[in-house]
Amino acid sequence: MSQQSVPSLSKYFGTPETTNKTGNQDFSNVEETTEKLNSFHIKDNSKIEPVVCRIFSETSNEPKDPTAAFFDLIGNGSSTDSGISSNLGISSEDGFTPRISVDSEADRRRDAWIPSERTRQCLITCATSPLGTYFPDRELLTMPGVLVEEEFTDNIEEAVTVCLGEAEACQRKALTAADVTQDERGLRELVQAGAYRAALNLTARLLTIYGQGRGRTGHPTKHSPHSLQLWFTRISLLVKTKSTTLAQAEAEPFDQLDKPDLFYEFYPEMYKGRRGSIASFSFRLLLAELPMHCGKPKESLTKLFNILSTVRKMLLNLKNGLCEDGSPTEIKSSDRNDSIRLWTGRETRILHSIVNCSLLLKDYILAMDILGQLAQREGAPRSALLSALGRLHLQVGDINGAEACFNEARELKGGEETIRDLVDRGLVAVAQNSFNEAYTFFQKASLLEPNNVMILNNMAVCLLYGGHLKEAIGVLEAAIAQSPVQALQESLLLNLCTLYDMESSKGRLKKFALLRQISKYQADAPTQILEKLYG
Amino acid sequence: MEPEEHLLGLKVMRLTKPTLASPLPITCDTKDLPGNLLNKALKDDPTAVSGLETICIGQFLLLPQSPVNIYLGETFSSYICVYNDTKDSVNNVAVKVDLQTSSQRLPLAINPPIPILTPDEKVNIVIHHEVKEIGTHILVCEVSYEGSNRTPTSFRKFFKIQVLKPLDVKTKFYNAESDDVYLEAQVQNITSGPIFLERVELDATHLFNVASVNVKKQGGSIFGKLTMLQPQATCQYLYCLSPDAKLSADTKLLSGATNVGKFDIVWRSNLGERGRLQTSQLQRISPEYDDIRLFVQEYPNFVLLEEAFHFKCRLTNNSEYTMELTLSVEECDGITWCEISGQKLQPLSPKGTVDLELKLVPLVPGLRSISGIRLVDTFNKKTYSFDDFIQVFVMVNDKKQNEQLANVINITKDKSTIKVI
């Protein structure tokens, strides 16, 4: 593969439509980046991968997590609620588990997607034109860039400095982007530690390598699975840290991941014959969900139904003996079944998101309809879904309807008193204003799992409604002492702060103590919570 | 902080229902860069429900975080906490909680004096009160105690509560020819959130028997499994009230029966928060009955073109004297009478009835109204007209076509007997 055969990105600028004043200056930057990218190129499928990529491929060496496959195949699996992958009936040799070598069938299955007609046409032109002669319109390109100038700072440390003084702030040992290797392994380390802000800083640095860092929005660039994975991680973390405005702005160039340069066919010289979406399905789902995290659930609903319809088209294609994208390529029947299973799982996951979206829209009837549909699906965790449906009835105030669902969910479990069931019954009592009875149910559940933070929290809430403020605070504080990492969590902290506010003028000191705990155990905390603690 | 220095502090929190918290379900595949880390974080979130982490209907109770409106018919609940803010004990602590409405002052709680309130000790009071008035309410909390030198001291705190109207109920009455009364009620949700209508019932007075027209033949509400009302949305109910047998026997009594009953509505919102409203007594406009009444007994819904049909009706004399009536029929659009006009009827004594059977021939297909019945009282020369009396659907004699038309038009049967007054 020679340098000339690779289309130089500056050629996109060479078209007369682009009359950017600073264009010339940018050309040199772009050329530099292009050269960097070119130097990363895999030569004829050889195993030489760019540094960043090589580390990424090491995912496969990590011990397998039982929950992982559960989420890949959500709702598809076991009849038990535990969601352990061993029940999914897939051996470790199947294509779902990552491997070092390129498993083309597994890749094809995972990356399959039906692009829009416009994109499809563009990709056909791209494939049929001699190498290096096809340049699509600028508007068909995805040109992302990091939009924040400053790095994210440690907001806990800032809060500690303000409230408790610099001496205490110095004692804080939080992981920062500088403490880890500057690659995806380091990024994972930060995510694992919960240091989302630090991880965001690292994504910005790594994206700079791809020419998609600060100030690069609107500049043509090449996309690879790795660069798009960085973006997926970055936008996930922006949502998780509730930086939703920024998440929306940075995600905007990706739109719905339907531009031609986000498909393998766009880079024939790089990914010979490989087809499908370079961006992962998780990224696609995240982008569809994004508006609802930013207070625009209606927009999300349209986008979610859009991807749902594509997934359903793909499943139909598979069932009709075609490939996912509708091409008549031969697939082995076992591969076809795996593919159907994977995409049915993804379909379920989209339906879950639609339920969540309709809840935000307060369209409870839609949410109930879809939950009902989900419960009818083959292999669905029916009992868990009925329990969720019951809670939805409870949420809208239909206590009888809720009880009917809970009873059915319990019967499916053979009438066994599970924690979930006890808690659900406690919630019914809450809806009936019987907080004492609710407390008894939660207490029973707590005996089965004494460290369950949710149950302890619910007990505390019942104590408050029963007029026992002091005891309620005691239960929450004990929960934090028992499992600080889990319990120092947004909703529990909101509850505890509310109780502290009620208690006395000493609430402020108690909040500072809470901040001290957060500083000790958490790498990151939502700003909203920290502001509550400032009092 | 208190503007005046007091040994005790007082805080009030409104106890609306908690909500169910959920995590932010961000997941990824094993092959994605974060591997299983995002999924693991989700699984470890205490607000996630094990086994169904990606659905945001949690089990984790979250205390109300923002003020919620209170509506007429709901229960106002509050937590009142009086705490000792000093390092010494405080004696004889008493707390009194009242609710001042625009018309009255309601005592909600009186806490008998607590001899000694040690530091860090609290007086906890939870009050519940069903609000029965719209407008501004003021929660008055009065705390009295003995200060350090045993001097009785007290302070009061006020909390303003605005009680809003939750529902708008509009009613309309229709008096049917058959003496039944149809009541149409529109229940509009004017709260800020969606509500679930748990019960909408018409408690009728003993004068009428109620049948709800809001249930399907096979059972179940016409509104689906749940009657959910989004803000500003309206649900329309229809009831059929049949007068008691004694009542229908006497038109005087019947027209005097104006009290129909009242609505009893129970709604729920977040996590079972309950509200209940009863409307005032609903009054119908009583029908006026003429001296004679012509009441349809039997008539066909569907008739065939150019084929004669009959309908039966009953004539009642409501007046105090014997009537001598002449029955004549006038031209009617699309349909022609097959009767002798101007025939004299038998004298009709007061309260007496006579059954008539009339014959017509339809000339034009479609929905036709029968008009043109004239009854003339020969004694005082008064004419009673009956126009648009009933409707029939005239069909062409083609079996197939008729069946189709019959399906389309089935509904007219029920409606045609109702006459708006």
Side-chain angles (χ1 to χ4, degrees), chain A residues 239-280:
Chain A
V239 175
K240 274 182 102 70
T241 52
K242 307 210 164 140
S243 317
T244 45
T245 321
L246 185 58
Q248 248 182 323
E250 291 196 357
E252 211 220 303
F254 294 103
D255 194 26
Q256 290 308 290
L257 295 172
D258 184 55
K259 299 213 178 126
D261 60 346
L262 298 175
F263 287 83
Y264 286 112
E265 293 96 315
F266 190 75
Y267 309 95
E269 76 285 6
M270 236 164 135
Y271 307 102
K272 268 196 186 106
R274 197 166 164 184
R275 303 167 58 84
S277 164
I278 309 179
S280 71

Side-chain angles (χ1 to χ4, degrees), chain A residues 410-468:
Chain A
R410 184 164 50 238
E411 274 162 32
L412 283 169
K413 286 262 160 198
E416 179 195 345
E417 277 200 340
T418 58
I419 289 179
R420 194 195 64 218
D421 179 48
L422 286 167
V423 175
D424 283 343
R425 283 201 264 173
L427 295 176
V428 171
V430 168
Q432 290 165 330
N433 270 329
S434 322
F435 286 95
N436 287 337
E437 194 193 334
Y439 182 85
T440 317
F441 277 120
F442 295 141
Q443 201 175 29
K444 247 178 159 178
S446 189
L447 290 175
L448 298 174
E449 205 179 301
N451 286 332
N452 189 312
V453 173
M454 175 270 294
I455 299 172
L456 293 172
N457 169 77
N458 288 2
M459 287 164 71
V461 169
C462 291
L463 285 170
L464 174 77
Y465 283 79
H468 309 286

Side-chain angles (χ1 to χ4, degrees), chain B residues 128-139:
Chain B
H128 303 284
H129 170 71
E130 192 187 323
V131 278
K132 290 181 177 125
E133 275 180 59
I134 282 184
T136 312
H137 288 53
I138 294 164
L139 186 72

Side-chain angles (χ1 to χ4, degrees), chain A residues 87-362:
Chain A
N87 293 330
L88 297 177
I90 303 157
S91 74
S92 59
E93 289 305 304
D94 73 17
F96 298 121
T97 48
R99 283 187 216 165
I100 300 165
S101 66
V102 179
D103 183 333
S104 60
E105 170 55 25
D107 283 344
R108 188 196 56 71
R109 172 185 307 142
R110 210 177 29 247
D111 302 332
W113 195 252
I114 307 175
S116 68
E117 187 51 30
R118 187 183 181 194
T119 301
R120 200 177 68 90
Q121 291 300 340
C122 174
L123 290 174
I124 289 171
T125 320
C126 184
T128 49
S129 319
L131 274 189
T133 60
Y134 174 64
F135 305 109
D137 284 352
R138 212 179 129 83
E139 63 186 74
L140 289 175
L141 299 177
T142 309
M143 297 177 282
V146 172
L147 287 177
V148 269
E149 291 301 325
E150 292 96 38
E151 298 228 304
F152 288 91
T153 51
D154 181 352
N155 58 356
I156 296 181
E157 190 185 300
E158 281 158 16
V160 172
T161 313
V162 171
C163 302
L164 308 169
E166 279 190 30
E168 293 227 20
C170 289
Q171 286 171 19
R172 179 167 159 78
K173 292 185 208 89
L175 214 52
T176 68
D179 300 329
V180 295
T181 50
Q182 300 297 294
D183 51 30
E184 278 147 5
R185 189 216 302 253
L187 187 53
R188 271 194 289 275
E189 212 176 304
L190 292 173
V191 175
Q192 182 156 32
Y196 298 150
R197 285 157 179 275
L200 279 168
N201 292 335
L202 187 53
T203 55
R205 291 184 199 176
L206 295 176
L207 283 166
T208 309
I209 301 175
Y210 286 96
Q212 299 172 6
R214 290 191 179 86
R216 300 303 300 170
T217 317
H219 295 278
T221 177
K222 283 197 170 184
H223 301 282
S224 68
H226 320 106
S227 68
L228 290 174
Q229 281 293 343
L230 280 172
W231 275 113
F232 164 62
T233 311
R234 180 169 172 85
I235 291 169
S236 300
L237 296 179
L238 284 174
V239 175
K240 274 182 102 70
T241 52
K242 307 210 164 140
S243 317
T244 45
T245 321
L246 185 58
Q248 248 182 323
E250 291 196 357
E252 211 220 303
F254 294 103
D255 194 26
Q256 290 308 290
L257 295 172
D258 184 55
K259 299 213 178 126
D261 60 346
L262 298 175
F263 287 83
Y264 286 112
E265 293 96 315
F266 190 75
Y267 309 95
E269 76 285 6
M270 236 164 135
Y271 307 102
K272 268 196 186 106
R274 197 166 164 184
R275 303 167 58 84
S277 164
I278 309 179
S280 71
F281 175 76
S282 315
F283 195 13
R284 196 173 293 284
L285 185 66
L286 177 70
L287 289 175
E289 283 181 328
L290 194 55
M292 78 185 191
H293 298 314
C294 309
K296 292 182 242 171
K298 220 166 186 169
E299 239 174 77
S300 269
L301 199 65
T302 316
K303 292 181 172 179
L304 287 167
F305 271 108
N306 248 328
I307 62 171
L308 180 69
S309 86
T310 305
V311 169
R312 288 191 165 157
K313 216 179 284 168
M314 288 164 72
L315 281 166
L316 195 68
N317 285 339
L318 284 166
K319 282 164 193 164
N320 290 338
L322 301 167
C323 241
E324 290 90 344
D325 59 4
S327 57
T329 320
E330 283 287 314
I331 337 177
K332 277 193 286 178
S333 88
S334 64
D335 284 337
R336 179 178 306 279
N337 288 338
D338 282 349
S339 210
I340 289 175
R341 189 153 35 179
L342 175 73
W343 284 100
T344 310
R346 287 179 171 177
E347 185 194 9
T348 308
R349 178 66 183 85
I350 301 168
L351 288 170
H352 285 193
S353 293
I354 292 175
V355 170
N356 298 337
C357 190
S358 44
L359 291 175
L360 289 174
L361 276 168
K362 301 202 167 160

